[in-house]
Amino acid sequence: MTMFKSMSKSARSTFTTYAMVVVAYVIVQILANGGMITNSLTGQLVPICAYICLAVSLNLVVGISGELSLGHAGFMSVGAFAGVVAAACFSSSVPNDALRLILSIAVGGGCAAIAGFVVGIPVMRLHGDYLAIVTLAFGEIIKNIMNNLYVGLDSAGLHFSMTDANSLGMSGGTILINGPQGAVGIEKLSTFFAGFILVIFCLFVVLNLIHSRSGRAIMAVRDNRIAAESVGINVTKYRLMAFVISAALAGMAGALYAMNYSSIVPKKFDFNTSILILVFVVLGGMGNIRGSVISATILTILPEMLRAISDYRMLIYAIVLILVMLVSNNPTLKGAWANLRSRLRGRRGRPKVAAAEAAGDAPEGGDSDE
Amino acid sequence: SGSSSSSSSSSDSGSTATFKLGGIGPVTGAAAIYGTACKNGAQIAVDEIKAAGGDVIFDFNFQDDEHDPEKSVNAYNNLKDWGMQILTGPTTTAPCVAVSAETNSDNMFELTPSASSTDVIGGQPDADGNVSTPRKSNVFQMCFTDPNQGTASAKYIKEQSLGTKIAIIYNNSDTYSTGIFKKFTSEAQAQGLEIVSTTSFTDDTATDFSVQLNDAKNNGADLLFIPIYYTPASLILKQADTMGYKPKFFGVDGLDGLLTLEGFDTSLAEGVMLLTPFTADATDSATQSFVSTYKKDYDGTPNQFAADSYDCVYAIKQAIEKAGITADMTYTDICDKLVAAFTASDFKFDGLTGTGMTWSDTGEVSKDPKGMVIKDGAYVSM
Amino acid sequence: MSMLNVDDISVYYGNIRAVKGISFTVEEGEIVTLVGANGAGKSTTLNTIAGLLKPKHGRVEFEGENLASAKAHDIVRKGIALCPEGRRVFLQMSVRENLEMGAFTRDDSEAKETIETVFERFPRLKERENQSAGTLSGGEQQMLAMGRALMSKPRLLMLDEPSMGLAPILVEEIFDIIDELHKSGTTVLLVEQNAQMALSIADRAYVLETGTVSMSGTAAELANDDRVRKAYLGG
Amino acid sequence: MSRVSEALKPNTKMVPLPSDYIVPERDVNEIPVLECRHLGIDFGGLHAVEDFNLTVGKTEIAGLIGPNGAGKTTVFNLLTKVYAPTRGTIMLDGQDTAGMSISRASQAGIARTFQNIRLFSSLSVEDNVRIGLHNQVHCGMMPGIFRTPRYWKSEREFHEKSLELLDVFDMSSYAGITAGSLPYGAQRRLEIVRALATNPKLLLLDEPAAGMNPSETADLMQNILKIRDQFKISVMLIEHDMDLVMGICEGIAVLNYGKIIAKGTPEQIQENPQVIEAYLGKSREA
Amino acid sequence: MDFLTNLINGISLGSIYAIIALGYTMVYGIAKMLNFAHGDVIMVGAYICFCAMGYLGLSPILAVLLSIVGCTVLGIVIERLAYKPLRNAPSLDVLITAIGVSYFLENAALLIWKSDPKSFTSVVDLPSLSLFDGQLVISGVTMVTVLACVVIMIALTTFTTKSKQGKAMRACSEDQGAARLMGINVDSTISLTFAIGSGLAAIAGVLLCSAYPTLTPTTGLMPGIKAFVAAVLGGIGSIPGAVLGGVLLGIIEIFAKAYIGTQMSDAVVFAVLIIALLIKPSGLLGKQIKEKV
Ligand SMILES: Nc1ncnc2c1ncn2[C@@H]1O[C@H](COP(=O)(O)OP(=O)(O)OP(=O)(O)O)[C@@H](O)[C@H]1O
Ligand SMILES: Nc1ncnc2c1ncn2[C@@H]1O[C@H](COP(=O)(O)OP(=O)(O)OP(=O)(O)O)[C@@H](O)[C@H]1O
Ligand SMILES: [Mg+2]
Ligand SMILES: [Mg+2]
């Protein structure tokens, strides 16, 4: 506890985030071993992990880099299908399941990163809502391409076609991606443990990035582009960096997701899924990584919890969404919450800098944490 | 939900305990019509069976999947928590493919009313004769498989010489539609039919069909094959009419529902042909009583999804009775016995969607498609 | 009865109390100035009077009427105008349109005449009449903001740092204009960093410190007060 | 306010110089920090800046004044490459800056503050300075993510250097505070610190004293002098506060309608009738 | 002739996008929010009209009027309940709320009108125009839609640039605080914006369903997104831009299907959009607002 107290504010927050994820994992594992969790929850563990990764990665673009992206599912899709193809290709050469999963996730991430780079170059010329529209457009283009993509594997290697399965020119072998029918017969390699590791990996990448020179440059561009340029930051480079890393992580999450189901279809990765991920990010708080983790978890479980009210389920979900936004932006409640927090902090013996600052006095003691 | 559970009937003879029957399908979102129809159809069967008071009665629980494979698997797990012993569903193909993998590994008996892709049952060869997904021995279909419909349609068109120059409009973002389309084209070639125009659309562009229709018209197509659902089909009929293009229209089971579309000008559908196992205005008493109950309970006309789903429940009931299954068995035991019952050579089922239906161990149903043509706003056998 | 009576108001931003019980009055026909360091709460006070912020405690009375329930747009109609800190002109509208917006509460035909008088006061604005306000220089925008506030022909004009960022010659001009307005009967409540100028023109003044009134008196008294000289007049 | 001590002025050989030096006496052999020739920019039909010729020597404090809308900020924008000039050249320490981006110009040694404060307001004070140090301390993306020893070394360097810089303005006690919540005056100072962190040769200050009261302004003047002495850089500032301009600038250029109308020492400028007419106003005459 | 036919079809589809985009751009330009629920208001408008004609037996004109009134009220209610409390919230929070409203409307419609589609009876009873011996057919709905589109565009442009209320809207769009100081009632101005936007949505819904007559609770979704794209393509907040963007999008969509192929037409449409935005980063008729440094 003393060690915890002596950490800097950001280090403490980072630590809390990791600790939260690890503790949640351990609790779920213990409960699962005791047979104490439902099939329903068990079935959602891997998708929850995937959504956490997606939310965290999108937060890098939306919260940290400050660009509204409406096509995140596109990168998830690229990663998912690339991962599935990779897993099939490695099936004979890499007999170890875990290793094959890792390789497939890496391939998924890599392909999504390439897609992110290709998409990012034109996108980075735009700003604000125009950028949002172009990401939406790319998401739709990726979906349309996936709907027409046929991939087969036979002894001669991989075959690709954009017209139909017959034109793959296969001799024996299997069709891995079959246009709108997607990929079927996927080997279910993903496990909750793998999902947990991927979540930790995403947190590791994003949190470390934020607290590094590159991450600060990304945030500087968000806060004030012209000022960032004027201190010598290459704006395009850092916006692109955030975009590509985010795409790569989304691709990894996509691969994890795909290999949790025996089949996936391109339609799954549409605009609605992009929006869903965006909802996680906004509800969790822009730039708030821990918030993304929590909201992705809760919002994935929520519709399942609401099954009891059947017909009114989605209606209630919509109302919950609206109410959360209204409540979290209510000035009275916000003030009360801030009060509570500062009181809690005061009890912990933290200097209450903010208040003193607001009054315009210089603080007496130093407050440098590091 | 549709759980009309009244578990008060826990009499001492174990055989009258209720079976927990689960159903899955979209009741919200864009595909909600199909799931809702399945839910209602099954519910009617469950209620009838209960009212009849036999030994086999069901407790029915239908869960929404929003036409999303992930949600569908969630719904399946949720039903398992409820204690489901038999599954009828999911309604739509992509979710069903995902769920069938789960039921297969759990060994839960699954009979889908309407998911028609061969990926659902597995074990079917693709175009090259490869089997990409092994047979899921616990999964059966009540509807025709997509290739089946494609083949049957091409054959039918050839046999009846319905058209010489054929145009196709299919839904490129839909598994069902592409599945039929693919098989149809290869079978048409084999039959020597000439396909002059092939165009597609996606769920996102399912409003304007002028380009597709123009293409068909300009290539002189005299028969338009539309392996799609009736909602976009109604738009195609309307737009063809507006542009004064009058080919023959030929559709598959997805087209059923066209005539009962509220507000639809049925004269537009005059002469439309379709292969479907069920029509709501069939004159047999079973169909008529089903239709009138459906109208009474759900304020609408049942389509083929509802009928398939209704049949599913009765088929399961018949198999349970035949195999002497009791509700206190575990779902795996039930599954093994049901599989045996369904594939038994002497198992024949008469339902709304066909008579003398049998199932092979591939999971496919064998029933006769009925060629129907719309005349004076009603279906008439061809 | 005073024209404006601010009685013990407290204003919060979230849970930060920016104004902690300020009271003062403005009589009809006066120029009253509020001086104080950065963050003392001057702008917050003006924004509260204009109705953009609501006091948590205390009351603001204009001509005997409590403004507690009045919305910002009602307050304009009652004859109070605020030329806000940081100009806040409508960047995408032309100079003329900005001025027209200033006369939103008034008749269009009357507004036309007022625009001409504003153009006479600020010929630079006339030159830029159809340019969009966003491309004006800082000083030009300040002139526009002031011109816009005059458009509603207010009886109480509140100016929040009108000389900020202006060339010396314009600062003089602004103060000349304030003087003129005063002579023509407009009551002025002025907030200024340039305390020297402000005190030289005002009748009375209040000194604000971290959200409270620390001193008050006639402008001349305060201008000669040692503490004020030291803190705000640079010597 | 005390005049700049003679000792601070470069004690090189004084020779008559080309007319575009603001300060009349400069060493011609030394490469000036900034040299603008026939610089101009049009916005539509408006010649916002025209035929702007100016030379700023090393360690000089130059003032740029003029009525509102004269084009002063536009000149800064041209120098820092926010706008591309329609005409003319800008030489920075002997290097032509044509075609440079804003960030390249910064790397070439020009730093600025803004008329409307532009801080990274959601980040801490220290982070603002660290971002200023972006091109002074290096650590790539991968070492940053995987926290190699190089990362820790660079972070230490960032920390030390930024505190050092904040100390110049007595701001190190603010290090952990969010920049947006700083009092106004402190925000202005932080902007200057951040600009200094880019290790410039020439620092441009756009109305640094705006919104400050006289005592704050006096502090600011001391600080500007201190910066120049400590970092040996040139400073060019725009300001409407004549106490400040006349107090610390060694040379002043006056801009009106985009053209330079006068150049010279504060004394010369104060007496220039054209400047009085256009800018200073009558009260300054006395 | 083929080309002409495609062009006409493109304009016909595009003018529907354009009308939806007009409503979008109104709300977007003035309240500065992406009202993702706009598409769903369209759907509600079409349902009201459908019910009015089908169940109440009203004449098409009355049904359309009822639908406009209904949607206007709905728009104001949504604004008051869901968006007004978020006036000072970050724009993405408002976006999420709009998505919530969209889900809400969709699911409420599903409960009220059930999932089975309705076939909409066209409110336009004009004969088709047949040119070149019937080789080129322009339907009555197309003509009405194009006309409505132009009329609405002109009316809205005049309203926002000339009328006092219109100018108040523009002022609110820039700086609500400053607008208050001008004596503008910001709340009622924004309500008015929503009222107009929703009224337009009703018209759009009726015309959309008259041209493409299936009506389900998700009918408004795709046209809504397409119209949003059209509004951005034309330049956010620009009224003529919305029309131009909508019509162009329609034409591109039809041409892409006709000359490039139906399978990849979505990709082509969006690719054209991207290229257009790269060439003109603020939309075709959007003003390039450079931040003054
Ligand atoms: N929007 C806001 N949110 C939170 N705190 C604020 C906000 N606006 C002002 N404050 C705080 O309220 C206090 C008073 O601010 P105000 O702007 O009224 O001061 P001022 O006297 O006008 O100063 P200045 O001379 O800088 O304009 C300050 O401490 C400031 O930090
Ligand atoms: N991007 C632009 N587009 C059009 N005109 C512009 C633009 N930027 C500046 N101007 C015009 O150029 C002129 C000079 O503006 P600038 O901001 O340089 O003035 P300034 O001298 O800094 O004035 P101030 O002291 O008031 O800040 C102004 O008339 C302004 O309207
Ligand atoms: Mg202030
Ligand atoms: Mg300036």
Side-chain angles (χ1 to χ4, degrees), chain B residues 27-28 32-33 36 170 199-200 202 204-205 207-208 210-211 214 218 230-231 234-235 238-239 261-264, chain E residues 2 5 9 50 55 107 110 115-119 210 212-214 218 222 226 253-254 257-258 262-263 266:
Chain B
V27 294
T28 59
I33 7 164
T36 313
Y170 71 101
T199 51
S200 65
T202 63
D204 298 343
T205 51
T207 37
D208 188 280
S210 55
V211 171
N214 265 322
N218 294 343
Y230 69 92
T231 318
S234 71
L235 283 170
K238 166 92 198 295
Q239 284 171 35
L261 182 61
E262 190 174 347
F264 182 65
Chain E
D2 232 25
T5 312
N9 288 333
F50 177 83
Y55 304 150
N107 285 287
L110 189 67
S115 53
D116 42 321
K118 317 272 187 235
S119 189
S210 291
Y212 306 109
T214 33
T218 51
M222 241 7 249
K226 290 258 176 76
E253 190 174 321
I254 296 288
K257 279 190 210 164
T262 43
Q263 296 204 340
D266 286 10

Side-chain angles (χ1 to χ4, degrees), chain C residues 38-113:
Chain C
N38 284 305
K42 306 179 297 288
S43 304
T44 306
T45 307
L46 293 198
N47 287 338
T48 308
I49 298 168
L52 292 178
L53 298 169
K54 286 285 160 209
K56 204 159 191 176
H57 313 291
R59 50 199 267 142
V60 179
E61 275 175 17
F62 182 65
E63 298 179 327
E65 185 185 351
N66 189 350
L67 297 183
S69 60
K71 294 261 171 59
H73 57 263
D74 299 324
I75 291 175
V76 178
R77 282 171 206 272
K78 293 188 201 299
I80 302 182
L82 170 64
C83 174
E85 185 175 23
R87 296 139 196 175
R88 298 180 75 170
V89 292
F90 301 114
L91 300 176
Q92 290 172 50
M93 292 189 173
S94 70
V95 168
R96 176 171 272 277
E97 282 174 322
N98 263 281
L99 293 176
E100 286 170 359
M101 290 322 299
F104 187 79
T105 53
R106 296 174 59 216
D107 215 52
D108 282 352
S109 54
E110 285 174 47
K112 274 221 174 67
E113 283 169 35

Side-chain angles (χ1 to χ4, degrees), chain D residues 74-103:
Chain D
T74 307
V75 168
F76 273 20
N77 285 338
L78 287 169
L79 297 182
T80 55
K81 296 289 159 187
V82 173
Y83 296 147
T86 316
R87 298 169 291 276
T89 53
I90 303 164
M91 306 287 283
L92 188 68
D93 206 17
Q95 186 188 4
D96 192 346
T97 66
M100 279 188 186
S101 66
I102 305 177
S103 56

Side-chain angles (χ1 to χ4, degrees), chain B residues 63-375:
Chain B
Q63 289 297 329
D64 182 21
D65 70 4
E66 300 165 45
H67 184 35
D68 176 327
E70 178 195 334
K71 300 274 165 58
S72 206
V73 172
N74 288 346
Y76 170 68
N77 286 322
N78 186 284
L79 287 170
K80 265 170 63 186
D81 289 331
W82 169 68
M84 171 173 67
Q85 293 163 301
I86 303 161
L87 172 66
T88 164
T91 302
T92 46
T93 294
C96 192
V97 175
V99 168
S100 60
E102 302 292 320
T103 59
N104 187 242
S105 67
D106 289 342
N107 199 30
M108 164 89 67
F109 183 80
E110 177 180 359
L111 175 61
T112 170
S114 48
S116 49
S117 156
T118 48
D119 291 331
V120 168
I121 45 178
Q124 299 280 324
D126 60 25
D128 291 331
N130 295 304
V131 175
S132 56
T133 29
R135 162 76 182 128
K136 301 164 194 165
S137 60
N138 63 315
V139 188
F140 291 82
Q141 287 168 316
M142 179 56 77
C143 56
F144 297 120
T145 59
D146 298 335
N148 225 328
Q149 293 207 56
T151 316
S153 301
K155 279 193 179 136
Y156 202 91
I157 290 170
K158 177 70 182 176
E159 279 161 16
Q160 313 273 325
S161 0
L162 295 173
T164 50
K165 294 186 160 191
I166 296 169
I168 308 171
I169 301 178
Y170 71 101
N171 184 342
N172 182 39
S173 62
D174 184 53
T175 353
Y176 162 78
S177 188
T178 23
I180 301 177
F181 156 74
K182 281 178 192 162
K183 195 68 190 178
F184 179 84
T185 33
S186 58
E187 183 65 28
Q189 261 163 9
Q191 296 280 344
L193 291 169
E194 190 192 357
I195 296 177
V196 292
S197 156
T198 305
T199 51
S200 65
F201 62 96
T202 63
D203 288 328
D204 298 343
T205 51
T207 37
D208 188 280
F209 296 96
S210 55
V211 171
Q212 290 91 332
L213 287 168
N214 265 322
D215 194 67
K217 186 182 179 186
N218 294 343
N219 286 304
D222 54 5
L223 184 135
L224 192 53
F225 181 56
I226 38 176
I228 55 176
Y229 287 125
Y230 69 92
T231 318
S234 71
L235 283 170
I236 289 182
L237 291 174
K238 166 92 198 295
Q239 284 171 35
D241 179 68
T242 313
M243 60 189 269
Y245 176 43
K246 293 185 169 53
K248 285 179 185 159
F249 289 94
F250 194 96
V252 284
D253 58 1
L255 225 51
D256 178 48
L258 195 57
L259 290 182
T260 52
L261 182 61
E262 190 174 347
F264 182 65
D265 177 6
T266 49
S267 69
L268 290 174
E270 202 59 28
V272 171
M273 293 169 283
L274 67 159
L275 280 185
T276 179
F278 171 81
T279 62
D281 38 21
T283 48
D284 61 301
S285 65
T287 305
Q288 287 196 334
S289 110
F290 172 66
V291 171
S292 73
T293 316
Y294 196 99
K295 277 189 174 145
K296 185 163 72 26
D297 291 357
Y298 302 109
D299 185 29
T301 315
N303 54 19
Q304 163 233 333
F305 286 83
D308 276 329
S309 188
Y310 178 88
D311 279 357
C312 281
V313 177
Y314 273 104
I316 289 169
K317 174 174 181 280
Q318 186 176 324
I320 287 175
E321 283 165 350
K322 177 164 177 281
I325 299 167
T326 53
D328 51 3
M329 291 180 177
T330 64
Y331 64 78
T332 18
D333 291 345
I334 295 179
C335 181
D336 293 338
K337 292 198 182 245
L338 279 177
V339 170
F342 264 81
T343 51
S345 55
D346 59 343
F347 186 75
K348 277 201 166 52
F349 172 71
D350 294 335
L352 301 175
T353 62
T355 49
M357 287 183 234
T358 57
W359 279 268
S360 63
D361 54 11
T362 63
E364 287 171 286
V365 68
S366 145
K367 57 184 177 187
D368 285 331
K370 293 177 210 157
M372 296 283 179
V373 63
I374 297 176
K375 271 218 173 74

Side-chain angles (χ1 to χ4, degrees), chain A residues 7-85:
Chain A
M7 279 191 261
S8 77
K9 214 166 113 192
S10 66
R12 223 177 319 133
S13 153
T14 306
F15 178 81
T16 316
T17 309
Y18 286 123
M20 189 186 76
V21 173
V22 172
V23 168
Y25 174 75
V26 169
I27 291 178
V28 170
Q29 278 301 10
I30 291 172
L31 288 179
N33 288 341
M36 268 142 64
I37 57 173
T38 59
N39 288 310
S40 176
L41 188 60
T42 316
Q44 286 177 79
L45 292 174
V46 175
I48 286 174
C49 291
Y51 284 127
I52 290 176
C53 296
L54 286 161
V56 168
S57 64
L58 184 63
N59 208 337
L60 181 58
V61 169
V62 178
I64 307 297
S65 172
E67 326 269 14
L68 176 54
S69 166
L70 298 176
H72 211 52
F75 301 119
M76 183 187 180
S77 162
V78 171
F81 285 104
V84 166
V85 170

